[in-house]
Amino acid sequence: MTSPVSNFIDHYIQHAASAMRDDLHEIIDIMTLIAPDAELSFDLGIPYFQQESDWLFGVAARQDHLCIYFSDTSLFYSFAQRLNHAQFGENCLRFHRLNEINVNVFTELLSQIKASAVKRNRERQAHHLH
């Protein structure tokens, strides 16, 4: 039996431009590997990951590009030089195809965003204990 989330993901990918479908699959797979304990959700209309009620990151297929949305954009700018074919928006990273950017650097950025969220959660929990 398939879950509502996997049905949404399959439907979302099928309705994306055909040139983006493989990239969407790969990005969701990368996000799943980085945040295996995070919950994959879709109530915002895009596939996104949250952990302990913190929003981590999500992916959206737009007409001619992919948008990666982040909860913590403070780490973006240290990656701007290394992701030189991507455009940095206010809370997102945009690119046309995954093969235009360095996937290792992209993965590193996602990992740092997840680590930052885990650290914030621990600090919040420690604060509540005192």
Side-chain angles (χ1 to χ4, degrees):
M1 189 158 110
T2 57
S3 73
V5 172
S6 63
N7 284 341
F8 171 80
I9 300 298
D10 292 342
H11 184 263
Y12 189 86
I13 291 172
Q14 286 305 315
H15 284 82
S18 58
M20 292 184 198
R21 291 179 190 153
D22 287 343
D23 287 352
L24 276 170
H25 267 294
E26 189 169 346
I27 289 167
I28 291 169
D29 287 348
I30 290 169
M31 289 176 170
T32 301
L33 286 170
I34 289 170
D37 300 332
E39 179 184 349
L40 178 56
S41 300
F42 60 89
D43 59 332
L44 297 175
I46 64 167
Y48 72 97
F49 290 79
Q50 61 182 19
Q51 188 163 343
E52 297 181 37
S53 74
D54 271 354
W55 198 93
L56 295 174
F57 32 66
V59 58
R62 300 297 182 221
Q63 188 171 350
D64 67 342
H65 63 277
L66 294 161
C67 275
I68 311 300
Y69 292 98
F70 301 99
S71 60
D72 181 0
T73 57
S74 66
L75 300 166
F76 268 16
Y77 304 102
S78 62
F79 284 83
Q81 291 290 338
R82 296 166 61 205
L83 290 169
N84 56 351
H85 285 91
Q87 299 165 331
F88 288 85
E90 198 169 303
N91 65 341
C92 69
L93 174 71
R94 294 185 301 270
F95 51 88
H96 294 282
R97 300 290 172 265
L98 196 53
N99 66 4
E100 293 177 352
I101 64 168
N102 184 322
V103 176
N104 292 329
V105 174
F106 174 67
T107 302
E108 182 184 341
L109 173 59
L110 293 177
S111 298
Q112 286 194 19
I113 286 169
K114 184 198 178 227
S116 176
V118 168
K119 181 180 177 194
R120 276 194 316 274
N121 270 330
R122 285 190 183 139
E123 289 170 354
R124 244 193 333 258
Q125 288 170 353
H127 180 74
H128 287 301
L129 293 175
H130 294 147

